Amino acid sequence: MTNISAAPHLQWIMSSTAQQLLRSQRDVLLEWTRVHPAPLLRWLCDAGVLSHAHYLSLLERSPSNAVAQALETVCASEESSHGFLQVLREVQDYYCDELQVWVERHCGERTEGTKEAKPVRVEEKKKPKSPISKLFKGKNKFTVTPEVKVEEELKPRRSVKSSNLRVPLSAHRNTLLERTERLTSYAEGGGQTSNSASHIEIRYTDLFVTEDNESFDSSQHEYFTLASRRARIYAHQACQRICPRHLLSPQGTTGRPPKRVKVKGIAGIGKSVAVQRLVYEWALGKHMREFTCVFDLRFRELNLIKAPLSLLDLLEDRFRYFKTVLPDLLASPGPLLFILDGLDEFKYQLDWNAPDRDIGVDSKVPVSELVMALIKGSLLPESSVILTSRPSTDAPKRFFQRCCVVLGFEEDQVKEYTSKFYKDPKVSEKVYNYILDNDNLFVLSFIPLYCYIICTALAEFFSSQEDSDSRSLELNPPRTVSEVYYCYLFTAIKHHALKGKAERNTLRSEVLSLVRQQLTNLGRLAYENLLKSKIMFDIQDLERYGLTPVDIQSTFLSQILVPLKEERVEMFSFFHLTVQEHLAALYCAINLSKQGHIIQALDFWCFGEIPPPSTSPTPLLSQDLHLDQTRVENLQMFTRFFMGLLRTRLGGQLDGLVLAPLEVGLEGEDIPTRLGIWFQNQFKCRQLANQTALNLFHCLMELHMKEVTSRAAPEIRSLNLFKIKLSVVDCAVLHYVLQFSPHKLKELNLGYSNIGNRGLSRLAPILHRCESLYLRYNCLEREAAILESAVLKSNECQVKKLFMCGNNLGTEGVLELWNALEQNTTLEELYLDITGITERGTENIVNCLSKNTSLKTLTIVGNDIGEVGKRRLRELEHRRPGLQIIGNFVDDLGLLKAYLDWVEEIRDDRDQMDSVKNADALQSILKGLRVGAGGENGEGGEGENTAKALELETKILELLNAPTHLAGVR
């Protein structure tokens, strides 16, 4: 270590400039700060001394080079040099004692004007600002003032009595910085995770988090459940969004921060990365400054603990530099934060209903009891806890003051992620536009890990380097989910299999043949354990399938199977569930060669049906296998992958892996013909559940063979997907299959599916063939009305019933519909309840509909059309006596009864309630009821109508005033 000369005289300090001081002391400052440059660089950026772009560029350099470049930049002016000294005072505790002595000697007089023994030990008490008000941001500006110094102060003496905590806390922060400053990149493998592009400041992209008020549906693949959840979130519901930095901020009327927070999300959604960023920000001293210490604990590591232990034992073993001071830390638990990451990976059972035990920090108990005591608050209740988990392994909400769900990226974040993934902005723009234009990729991309897989798979197709390497892949980029995953896998295989070879454009079949045995072993591990819902494996599991940790670390397997423990590798997992599903499907695609075996496997995977003992079963099935409905639902992504990979095999792209050709049937039929007959029988002979039918549509899309779909599609005469939340991809899939049917569709029910304008546009080419078209509560707007108007104007239109209730079509949209009806000759019933029609929206209704000869029923209740609008409806009734117009609720007893049933239906149905709330439907109905009640009442049955209207009004008011668990979140 370089020695510091004796302190210069005070007169020299006051007369020299900060710029001169830094230039003269550059070498010693570089030596002291290059070990841990992160705090210094980040604080210089946030103080405005370094620009954000310059800061990010420095992170790509070596530590010594980064600090040297920073010093060169700040020495360019007196102002930036002075700012550097101010920042150095704030971050001195991250560095060696020599630097702290230097700061005391040189910076005290210069930045404060009055000499202090310890200028950074500010003792003034001041209430800090919102604890994590700027979490996950890297660009907040600040000017060093006495007040800010108090807030930024990180010294433990603010929160604990003993000053001997300074050194271990400093070591803790530096350790956490080293552990969290890099994002793991599976594509880099081979120990290259320190690649600069994976620095958390460069690669991290913020996430979409919202309050969680619903339970998990275990009958669906978690990806589909998440897609359904996202479908109920709309742009105008900004009040539901929670910035991750606000997870621990004060909430509700109490104004108190929550002590226990649960964050759930599916695999790959970004929970662990968000936690990593949170820990990184605390270690930098930028956020959560009210916490003296943050302890991050991962359940995958807690799995390795077998003997009973105390909290003291656990923390001493995990954070050894705290061994002598832990009692002091735990004696004041208020400013302590425990982050428990990955409850779904915990192998021990947790009994949430067990009575609380009196556990202290030194009580030795099983690790499961220790964890539960921390979560429930029976141990260190004054401390704070953040728990992360997948939805399938949930902790009861009663133990938490805040429950959140991570929904991944939004469109802007997908663009940000791609721009960070590729260094070349031209390449990132091409990739982003390709994702945006491809429904399959666009919908996948909102999950961060899927976005990573997509970017990795597309890298060589859009590379700015024009070399022969890209010729070894397909000429066209992948478009389906199966193709994306296969390109990702092949990219990983090729880079490892050909490592060190000069010739990179090796034939695909030769590359695959090099890894055939490893892929087969890996695929069998994936498939057989997928059927058991097993996702974690020990060394003995690997060895049973011919795999070893050495193989994994030295081959492409390092990008597929990842260790779950940094220090002692004892457990392994596929880095994402869908990767396991894809490898399982690949194993099946290369090992099934007989048509009969393929059909048996499809019956088993899609419906849980085991072939009878008298038949010759496929080698992939056994009589002791059993799939309940939940497991069948969870195999849906796997079956889609299988269909896509079967197409890949038929195209010859699995040559090098397969050992036998696909069998031809007894009557000479090929596999596409046999598959077409199988799909045809499913739609013709089975009563398919909604989600099952949708999965078969997706399987046809992934297979993407015209001869198969053309045989199956004519059997689909009606399709009811009521309340099945549909993505843009789902809508594109429906169009792909239904376009091959020559028949009209008797009914297409997409009520409460939240397809939006974009989804409806994908269905546009087949809408004219639907006799009854149900589009209620689908977040449709003016564009949808214009599209539907074009359908009604079409000479091929066969639509007889059209339900558009609960969509915000508005005045402009409905005017288009009236114009279309002027020439339409098929539509008999039109339902436009609660569609935002105003008085102006009735301007052309009389002129257009009086010329229409087919319409028999028009329902337009729940719209504020005013007195002029009502007068126009009466005039239309006079001109078209055969047209029944229902303009307010009291007019029609049947309508009132239908709405009473509807209110009862949505009372306990969260899906429908969300859609209804978003359309403000209940308020519109209330207004319509009150307007109708004030109108003229006649004789006969109208007394019953009035009673039913009052009953409906009462039930709606009860629903609106119900607790959020019944009525949804407004």
Side-chain angles (χ1 to χ4, degrees):
M1 184 66 67
T2 302
N3 292 324
I4 308 175
S5 59
H9 297 295
L10 181 61
Q11 182 179 1
W12 187 89
I13 296 177
M14 298 303 295
S15 62
S16 67
T17 64
Q19 197 174 14
Q20 292 171 335
L21 176 63
L22 291 185
R23 285 175 176 170
S24 67
Q25 302 288 301
R26 177 186 179 279
D27 291 342
V28 292
L29 290 174
L30 175 59
E31 184 170 344
W32 291 332
T33 56
R34 67 182 180 180
V35 180
H36 302 295
L40 176 63
L41 296 179
R42 171 63 182 273
W43 282 63
L44 286 172
C45 175
D46 288 355
V49 179
L50 296 177
S51 69
H52 188 64
H54 189 197
Y55 167 61
L56 294 181
S57 70
L58 292 179
L59 295 178
E60 300 190 65
R61 299 175 179 268
S62 67
S64 295
N65 199 322
V67 177
Q69 288 290 321
L71 282 168
E72 182 177 336
T73 299
V74 299
C75 285
S77 71
E78 176 66 17
E79 180 182 3
S80 59
S81 297
H82 185 75
F84 179 91
L85 293 177
Q86 290 179 316
V87 167
L88 200 58
R89 293 188 60 200
E90 301 299 330
V91 300
Q92 60 176 302
D93 274 2
Y94 291 93
Y95 301 102
C96 60
D97 292 339
E98 290 91 339
L99 183 140
Q100 296 180 40
V101 172
W102 188 95
V103 168
E104 182 178 342
R105 289 175 175 174
H106 292 278
C107 300
E109 297 291 341
R110 186 174 307 279
T111 58
E112 293 293 337
T114 58
K115 190 172 182 178
E116 295 178 29
K118 293 281 186 180
V120 295
R121 306 284 194 263
V122 181
E123 295 294 339
E124 177 185 353
K125 299 290 183 181
K126 187 176 182 70
K127 184 179 179 181
K129 292 183 179 179
S130 177
I132 52 173
S133 61
K134 295 178 181 177
L135 185 57
F136 298 133
K137 282 200 172 183
K139 222 178 162 183
N140 49 309
K141 306 287 186 181
F142 78 92
T143 303
V144 180
T145 65
E147 289 76 20
V148 173
K149 289 173 186 173
V150 173
E151 292 176 16
E152 301 289 352
E153 178 68 71
L154 302 174
K155 307 303 175 285
R157 64 178 59 197
R158 295 196 323 167
S159 305
V160 294
K161 297 177 181 179
S162 178
S163 61
N164 65 351
L165 287 174
R166 187 186 68 80
V167 173
L169 278 173
S170 179
H172 184 51
R173 290 180 183 277
N174 284 322
T175 300
L176 292 183
L177 284 175
E178 291 177 5
R179 197 164 68 218
T180 60
E181 69 180 0
R182 305 282 174 184
L183 289 176
T184 301
S185 181
Y186 300 107
E188 288 152 8
Q192 298 180 29
T193 53
S194 60
N195 186 294
S196 60
S198 63
H199 194 287
I200 195 166
E201 295 272 30
I202 297 175
R203 186 70 68 85
Y204 180 80
T205 304
D206 216 345
L207 296 166
F208 175 13
V209 181
T210 187
E211 295 281 2
D212 178 37
N213 292 288
E214 56 187 67
S215 58
F216 174 69
D217 181 3
S218 61
S219 67
Q220 286 195 52
H221 189 289
E222 63 177 12
Y223 166 74
F224 305 132
T225 302
L226 174 65
S228 172
R229 179 75 177 91
R230 287 178 62 92
R232 295 192 291 275
I233 305 296
Y234 310 101
H236 62 273
Q237 288 183 306
C239 58
Q240 289 191 349
R241 284 168 167 76
I242 302 172
C243 293
R245 62 179 178 268
H246 293 150
L247 287 175
L248 288 165
S249 62
Q251 62 177 2
T253 57
T254 64
R256 292 194 298 267
K259 286 291 186 181
R260 299 293 184 273
V261 175
K262 179 177 66 173
V263 180
K264 76 178 184 183
I266 73 167
I269 201 68
K271 304 180 299 297
S272 294
V273 175
V275 165
Q276 180 178 338
R277 176 73 176 196
L278 186 150
V279 173
Y280 178 77
E281 292 287 319
W282 176 83
L284 276 177
K286 302 309 299 181
H287 298 293
M288 300 191 303
R289 294 186 297 273
E290 76 277 22
F291 292 111
T292 300
C293 191
V294 173
F295 298 106
D296 63 319
L297 301 169
R298 304 170 193 173
F299 282 98
R300 60 177 60 169
E301 295 177 358
L302 298 179
N303 285 334
L304 304 176
I305 300 173
K306 298 177 181 178
L309 79 170
S310 67
L311 183 61
L312 278 172
D313 296 333
L314 174 63
L315 298 181
E316 285 177 3
D317 180 66
R318 183 77 172 85
F319 311 101
R320 296 183 179 178
Y321 35 75
F322 279 138
K323 187 169 185 178
T324 59
V325 298
L326 266 177
D328 288 340
L329 267 177
L330 299 180
S332 302
L336 302 182
L337 171 61
F338 292 88
I339 298 177
L340 307 176
D341 186 29
L343 176 63
D344 51 282
E345 297 176 342
F346 200 34
K347 70 179 182 181
Y348 298 109
Q349 291 293 322
L350 298 179
D351 184 1
W352 299 105
N353 297 318
D356 294 343
R357 289 182 56 185
D358 185 14
I359 296 176
V361 296
D362 55 355
S363 302
K364 292 185 181 295
V365 296
V367 66
S368 57
E369 288 190 31
L370 188 64
V371 165
M372 207 155 39
L374 267 178
I375 295 172
K376 295 169 70 173
S378 55
L379 174 63
L380 300 184
E382 301 91 348
S383 65
S384 298
V385 174
I386 294 178
L387 174 73
T388 74
S389 177
R390 282 167 60 178
S392 55
T393 308
D394 215 354
K397 293 183 179 181
R398 65 181 182 272
F399 300 121
F400 302 90
Q401 290 84 53
R402 171 170 284 158
C403 297
C404 303
V405 58
V406 182
L407 300 180
F409 291 153
E410 297 180 87
E411 188 172 324
D412 288 345
Q413 280 69 53
V414 173
K415 184 175 184 179
E416 179 185 347
Y417 184 90
T418 55
S419 68
K420 291 178 176 180
F421 189 91
Y422 302 99
K423 292 184 178 181
D424 188 335
K426 292 182 179 179
V427 174
S428 67
E429 184 178 6
K430 287 179 182 178
V431 171
Y432 174 70
N433 289 333
Y434 185 76
I435 292 173
L436 205 61
D437 293 338
N438 186 300
D439 291 331
N440 285 292
L441 305 191
F442 177 74
V443 171
L444 278 179
S445 67
F446 69 75
I447 296 179
L449 199 95
Y450 287 1
C451 201
Y452 160 78
I453 289 174
I454 291 169
C455 288
T456 303
L458 295 179
E460 295 196 42
F461 295 99
F462 294 94
S463 172
S464 58
Q465 299 177 354
E466 295 295 335
D467 55 29
S468 60
D469 188 36
S470 61
R471 298 293 183 263
S472 65
L473 291 171
E474 297 300 313
L475 294 177
N476 298 315
R479 300 193 64 84
T480 67
V481 180
S482 309
E483 289 173 355
V484 167
Y485 272 72
Y486 185 61
C487 283
Y488 169 80
L489 176 64
F490 184 73
T491 298
I493 291 171
K494 188 183 70 166
H495 286 172
H496 279 263
L498 302 181
K499 187 178 293 184
K501 294 190 177 182
E503 188 63 32
R504 300 282 291 177
N505 57 347
T506 308
L507 292 176
R508 178 192 297 270
S509 58
E510 292 182 22
V511 175
L512 293 176
S513 65
L514 294 174
V515 296
R516 184 179 63 81
Q517 191 58 53
Q518 290 173 319
L519 265 184
T520 300
N521 293 343
L522 186 67
R524 190 162 71 91
L525 169 75
Y527 173 67
E528 293 183 1
N529 287 283
L530 182 67
L531 297 182
K532 303 173 186 175
S533 300
K534 183 177 180 179
I535 62 173
M536 297 177 67
F537 318 102
D538 58 25
I539 293 176
Q540 289 71 34
D541 291 327
L542 300 186
E543 291 174 345
R544 279 195 291 272
Y545 291 91
L547 300 167
T548 68
V550 175
D551 294 333
I552 292 170
Q553 293 165 8
S554 60
T555 69
F556 74 95
L557 297 177
S558 63
Q559 301 173 43
I560 308 299
L561 274 175
V562 294
L564 301 184
K565 171 71 174 163
E566 287 83 353
E567 292 84 6
R568 291 175 293 155
V569 178
E570 293 200 3
M571 298 295 293
F572 291 82
S573 172
F574 292 91
F575 79 83
H576 191 261
L577 174 62
T578 53
V579 174
Q580 181 176 350
E581 291 169 321
H582 182 262
L583 265 295
L586 178 63
Y587 171 74
C588 296
I590 63 179
N591 282 283
L592 289 175
S593 296
K594 294 184 177 181
Q595 293 185 13
H597 289 170
I598 293 175
I599 298 304
Q600 288 177 2
L602 289 175
D603 286 337
F604 177 65
W605 298 331
C606 294
F607 305 104
E609 296 177 355
I610 297 288
S614 58
T615 63
S616 173
T618 167
L620 300 186
L621 305 181
S622 62
Q623 292 298 321
D624 60 346
L625 284 174
H626 172 70
L627 291 181
D628 56 26
Q629 187 58 35
T630 296
R631 288 192 177 181
V632 169
E633 295 279 0
N634 285 329
L635 287 178
Q636 289 184 354
M637 184 69 84
F638 160 78
T639 56
R640 299 178 191 184
F641 279 140
F642 174 77
M643 284 299 176
L645 288 166
L646 191 57
R647 177 173 180 263
T648 302
R649 178 176 177 177
L650 290 167
Q653 295 170 39
L654 295 185
D655 292 351
L657 292 179
V658 296
L659 297 178
L662 285 168
E663 177 192 71
V664 177
L666 295 177
E667 299 181 4
E669 73 269 15
D670 56 11
I671 190 63
T673 301
R674 188 70 183 271
L675 286 173
I677 294 172
W678 183 83
F679 277 104
Q680 182 183 39
N681 289 336
Q682 310 318 307
F683 289 114
K684 183 178 181 179
C685 304
R686 290 187 188 267
Q687 293 294 323
L688 297 173
N690 292 356
Q691 194 66 48
T692 303
L694 183 61
N695 186 52
L696 292 179
F697 273 73
H698 274 277
C699 287
L700 286 168
M701 178 70 168
E702 291 293 327
L703 187 61
H704 220 81
M705 301 185 73
K706 181 178 179 180
E707 56 266 50
V708 177
T709 313
S710 296
R711 184 181 288 270
E715 300 300 333
I716 306 169
R717 299 303 180 97
S718 64
L719 187 61
N720 183 353
L721 296 177
F722 180 64
K723 291 199 298 183
I724 297 293
K725 298 299 177 290
L726 302 177
S727 68
V728 177
V729 173
D730 295 325
C731 294
V733 165
L734 295 181
H735 164 251
Y736 167 76
V737 175
L738 294 175
Q739 69 177 330
F740 289 99
S741 173
H743 308 301
K744 63 184 177 183
L745 209 59
K746 292 181 179 179
E747 176 184 299
L748 178 60
N749 190 343
L750 305 180
Y752 298 92
S753 293
N754 298 103
I755 60 176
N757 294 337
R758 187 169 178 172
L760 187 67
S761 68
R762 299 301 185 273
L763 292 166
I766 54 99
L767 293 179
H768 67 279
R769 294 195 286 110
C770 305
E771 276 196 350
S772 297
L773 183 56
Y774 296 82
L775 299 173
R776 296 176 294 180
Y777 294 95
N778 263 299
C779 302
L780 302 177
E781 297 173 332
R782 174 178 174 271
E783 292 80 1
I786 294 174
L787 187 154
E788 193 57 48
S789 299
V791 171
L792 294 174
K793 289 179 182 178
S794 169
N795 293 330
E796 299 177 339
C797 179
Q798 301 178 59
V799 181
K800 293 183 178 180
K801 295 181 181 180
L802 177 59
F803 294 78
M804 299 286 283
C805 319
N807 294 297
N808 188 26
L809 306 181
T811 295
E812 301 300 327
V814 79
L815 289 174
E816 294 287 340
L817 285 175
W818 305 146
N819 285 330
L821 287 173
E822 184 175 355
Q823 61 190 78
N824 175 272
T825 58
T826 65
L827 194 66
E828 297 176 359
E829 299 177 22
L830 177 60
Y831 299 87
L832 295 175
D833 311 11
I834 318 167
T835 49
I837 304 174
T838 62
E839 178 183 298
R840 196 170 75 82
T842 63
E843 283 180 354
N844 61 346
I845 190 171
V846 176
N847 183 52
C848 294
L849 267 62
S850 60
K851 298 176 184 178
N852 177 284
T853 57
S854 62
L855 193 64
K856 298 177 181 178
T857 301
L858 172 64
T859 301
I860 197 173
V861 298
N863 294 292
D864 190 8
I865 61 175
E867 290 303 319
V868 174
K870 293 176 184 178
R871 187 170 67 248
R872 288 169 178 159
L873 291 183
R874 289 193 293 270
E875 182 180 351
L876 179 59
E877 282 181 313
H878 177 71
R879 293 196 186 186
R880 281 283 315 276
L883 174 61
Q884 181 187 17
I885 302 175
I886 304 174
N888 67 64
F889 292 96
V890 185
D891 287 345
D892 190 271
L893 182 61
L895 184 68
L896 286 168
K897 290 180 178 179
Y899 268 93
L900 280 167
D901 293 340
W902 175 73
V903 169
E904 289 298 320
E905 183 180 347
I906 67 174
R907 180 184 297 275
D908 298 317
D909 191 319
R910 172 65 190 229
D911 289 3
Q912 282 186 260
M913 193 62 200
D914 276 345
S915 300
V916 170
K917 286 283 187 180
N918 279 283
D920 280 333
L922 296 176
Q923 296 288 358
S924 297
I925 295 170
L926 277 180
K927 187 173 183 180
L929 287 170
R930 289 160 184 166
V931 170
E936 297 178 3
N937 289 322
E939 301 295 332
E942 294 193 357
E944 185 179 356
N945 288 15
T946 301
K948 288 294 182 183
L950 289 173
E951 182 183 353
L952 178 59
E953 180 179 355
T954 301
K955 288 185 177 296
I956 290 176
L957 289 172
E958 290 175 354
L959 194 57
L960 287 173
N961 295 326
T964 56
H965 70 278
L966 291 177
V969 178
R970 192 160 176 77

